[in-house]
Amino acid sequence: MRSIFIMLIFIVHVSVLNASVKIGILSGVVRPDLIEINDNTLFIVEGAQITAFKLDSLKEQHVFCKAGEGPGEIKCVPSIVNYLVPVRNNIMIVGMDKAIEFSKEGQLIKEFKIPAFTNYLYPLKKGYLGMRLNHCEDGKSYLVLGLLSDSYKMKKELFRQQMSGMPGVLQLPIDRVNIALIKDTLFIENSNLDFEILRFAMTGQARGKI
């Protein structure tokens, strides 16, 4: 599954060539939190809802998942994105305490509880690539991405980003870490330093940056 990085590169490339083409309008999309592209399908996450569009025409195909705590439902937490993650031939939405696997057509495959404040989860051969919300001794909160054990304990930290929530702010900004998994390489956008993309092997070894 290609991620938003691929779309950004495509948009920049087309803009440079001055040959942008309007192919349609994303109907019903108000405030997208996350975009994922898989083959010829564009998935957009808004809160708990997932909408699938045909990529070449932007025609809506499926709408599934919603806010709640029942089957096929996931919680929405202010300022936190529910991540959409490729899993085998399906997709999985990961909330703060629950993960739900759907088919690409929106059929519920399975769901399971995860430790609270887990915001991203990708199954590896052993353990997971995961992200946790950590409250540290300095009084600040961070999104911490790293390698987790089968019991979801952090084994190796790869990246952390301070959360931007401030007291007294009614409309909290969205906190996210842009992540892309391409073959055996993990790409992380380092928002701490303007625009920088970090590269890691799936075993955690750093492979440089872009």
Side-chain angles (χ1 to χ4, degrees):
M1 181 175 285
R2 294 163 292 173
S3 184
I4 190 170
F5 298 133
I6 305 300
M7 176 169 282
L8 287 172
I9 292 171
F10 172 77
I11 291 171
V12 171
H13 178 67
V14 170
S15 299
V16 169
L17 294 178
N18 198 24
S20 59
V21 177
K22 181 178 178 180
I23 60 175
I25 298 175
L26 295 174
S27 60
V29 176
V30 179
R31 190 179 179 185
D33 296 326
L34 191 72
I35 296 174
E36 286 285 352
I37 301 173
N38 179 257
D39 296 328
N40 195 36
T41 303
L42 170 68
F43 294 97
I44 293 185
V45 179
E46 289 186 275
Q49 179 177 289
I50 304 169
T51 307
F53 296 88
K54 193 172 181 181
L55 184 61
D56 55 8
S57 65
L58 299 187
K59 182 179 179 181
E60 183 181 299
Q61 294 182 302
H62 309 285
V63 179
F64 51 100
C65 197
K66 61 181 181 179
E69 299 185 32
E73 299 176 345
I74 205 159
K75 295 177 183 177
C76 288
V77 179
S79 84
I80 298 296
V81 170
N82 290 320
Y83 276 87
L84 197 64
V85 182
V87 178
R88 296 175 291 278
N89 292 320
N90 300 320
I91 56 174
M92 182 169 69
I93 188 167
V94 183
M96 294 297 285
D97 63 356
K98 181 181 181 181
I100 310 174
E101 187 174 341
F102 292 96
S103 71
K104 295 176 184 176
E105 293 73 38
Q107 296 177 323
L108 177 61
I109 304 298
K110 66 177 181 180
E111 60 182 45
F112 53 96
K113 288 289 186 180
I114 56 179
F117 304 113
T118 300
N119 189 223
Y120 179 94
L121 202 65
Y122 181 83
L124 303 173
K125 290 182 179 179
K126 291 184 179 180
Y128 303 89
L129 172 68
M131 185 158 58
R132 305 293 307 277
L133 192 161
N134 283 7
H135 299 283
C136 298
E137 295 178 358
D138 59 5
K140 300 175 183 178
S141 297
Y142 295 87
L143 293 173
V144 181
L145 182 70
L147 301 179
L148 308 182
S149 67
D150 289 331
S151 58
Y152 306 107
K153 293 182 178 179
M154 183 69 70
K155 296 192 303 181
K156 182 176 182 179
E157 179 180 322
L158 302 180
F159 176 79
R160 66 170 49 207
Q161 178 174 294
Q162 184 179 342
M163 297 187 66
S164 56
M166 295 172 288
V169 177
L170 294 178
Q171 185 64 46
L172 293 174
I174 296 295
D175 281 295
R176 68 166 67 86
V177 176
N178 288 323
I179 303 165
L181 299 168
I182 302 177
K183 294 184 178 179
D184 62 343
T185 304
L186 166 66
F187 296 85
I188 307 169
E189 180 196 349
N190 184 6
S191 296
N192 299 319
L193 295 172
D194 296 324
F195 185 78
E196 179 181 81
I197 298 176
L198 308 177
R199 298 171 63 241
F200 291 89
M202 295 305 295
T203 51
Q205 288 97 348
R207 286 186 170 177
K209 53 191 175 183
I210 302 171

